[in-house]
Amino acid sequence: MIRQLTSLLFALVLIGTASASQRTGMRQTRRMRTCSGQAEYVVNFTNFLTPRRFGRRIPKTGLVYSPLAGASHSNRVSLLTVRSLASPQVEQIAETGQNGRFVALAEHLRDTEQGVKTVAGADGPTMPGNSTTLRFTVDCEHPFITVVGMIAPSPDWLVQVGNVNLVRRGRFISFRRGRLIAYDAGTDDGAEFTSPTDASLDMPSEPQKNIAPLVEDDTDPFNGRFIGVYTIRRVA
Ligand SMILES: [Ca+2]
Ligand SMILES: [Ca+2]
C-alpha cells in the first residue's frame, strides 16, 4: 500500500513538473516573440587613464579618449570587428582621434536604411578621470550598440564596445556594465605615446593587422589592466 502511494505521489510530481516546465516553455516562447517597440539607452564611458592609477606607465597628464562616436545597428552591420582589419573609418579614429569618416559612414547607413538606427558623437574628448555619455535608440531590428574612440596620444590604440546586443529573449535589457580594455587597431607598429597630430611619427603596419586586445602585444604599456568602465542604461 505504501509503495503504491509512493509511486502515485511520484507520478503526480512528474506530471506537476512536466506541466510547470511546459508553462515555462510557453512563457519563454511568448517572450521570444514579444520584442516590439523601441528603447532609449544612455551609454557611459569613464576614463581611468590618470597618472594616479597608471603612474609612470603613461604621460604625466594622463591619456584621453578622443571624441567617442557610435551607432545602434542591426546584426547585418559591424562598424568595428575585433580580429578583423580596421575599416578606413576606424583607422582614421585610431590614427588621428577624428571620427568624421566613421560618423559620415554611419549616417549614410542610417539615412539609406542599411542597418543603422541612430548615430551619436561626443562633443569633445573624455579627459582622464572623466565620463562621457552618448544616447541611442534601439529597436528589435537594431538591438546592437557600438562605440569607439582613440586612446590619445597613442600609435593606434582604441577603446571600444562593439556589437553589444541589448535584446535578451525578446526584451530590452535594463542595464549592462563592463570593463574597458585597450585594443590595437593594427594600423601602426609604434609603441610610444606619440602625438596623433604628428604623422611623421607613424610607423604604418605593413601589412595591416587585425584589431586585437593590446594585452596580446608585447608593447602593451597598460599590462592588461582595464583602462575604464562602461555602463549601458535603459532610460526610456
Ligand atoms: Ca599612428
Ligand atoms: Ca599597433
Side-chain angles (χ1 to χ4, degrees):
M1 184 62 182
I2 287 172
R3 186 177 292 172
Q4 280 166 343
L5 267 179
T6 310
S7 2
L8 182 65
L9 272 175
F10 185 62
L12 282 173
V13 166
L14 273 184
I15 290 165
T17 310
S19 56
S21 71
Q22 274 164 0
R23 279 197 300 274
T24 308
M26 279 169 64
R27 268 203 302 274
Q28 274 168 355
T29 309
R30 263 205 303 276
R31 240 187 255 146
M32 295 292 285
R33 287 179 187 154
T34 50
C35 185
S36 64
Q38 59 182 37
E40 304 281 329
Y41 285 92
V42 167
V43 178
N44 181 291
F45 274 36
T46 301
N47 178 358
F48 281 1
L49 290 167
T50 60
R52 191 172 62 81
R53 282 179 186 268
F54 283 85
R56 291 186 188 158
R57 290 181 177 281
I58 65 171
K60 279 187 199 134
T61 48
L63 296 166
V64 308
Y65 300 166
S66 69
L68 297 168
S72 59
H73 55 87
S74 76
N75 65 346
R76 303 287 166 173
V77 168
S78 180
L79 296 164
L80 183 157
T81 312
V82 175
R83 310 214 185 278
S84 293
L85 296 179
S87 64
Q89 293 79 18
V90 169
E91 179 176 7
Q92 187 195 32
I93 292 175
E95 292 291 340
T96 70
Q98 289 165 25
N99 59 34
R101 295 177 77 174
F102 181 94
V103 169
L105 172 68
E107 286 179 344
H108 170 73
L109 294 173
R110 178 195 63 195
D111 296 344
T112 53
E113 297 185 4
Q114 293 186 79
V116 168
K117 172 93 177 160
T118 42
V119 181
D123 294 334
T126 311
M127 302 308 285
N130 286 8
S131 297
T132 292
T133 59
L134 297 178
R135 198 179 174 103
F136 298 94
T137 303
V138 309
D139 61 23
C140 304
E141 269 182 59
H142 309 86
F144 292 86
I145 282 185
T146 295
V147 175
V148 58
M150 178 194 192
I151 297 166
S154 80
D156 64 334
W157 298 337
L158 296 170
V159 59
Q160 61 95 22
V161 293
N163 302 316
V164 178
N165 188 357
L166 301 182
V167 171
R168 293 274 183 280
R169 295 197 179 112
R171 290 185 179 188
F172 299 108
I173 64 169
S174 55
F175 184 75
R176 174 171 166 146
R177 174 189 167 87
R179 293 170 170 182
L180 295 166
I181 59 167
Y183 286 84
D184 189 311
T187 57
D188 187 316
D189 287 335
E192 308 292 327
F193 292 106
T194 50
S195 163
T197 53
D198 189 348
S200 70
L201 299 167
D202 281 348
M203 298 170 59
S205 303
E206 296 287 350
Q208 186 179 342
K209 302 180 181 99
N210 283 344
I211 299 170
L214 187 59
V215 66
E216 295 171 11
D217 195 299
D218 292 340
T219 60
D220 177 17
F222 310 120
N223 263 6
R225 290 167 58 185
F226 54 100
I227 60 160
V229 289
Y230 73 90
T231 58
I232 302 175
R233 187 186 303 278
R234 186 177 178 183
V235 291

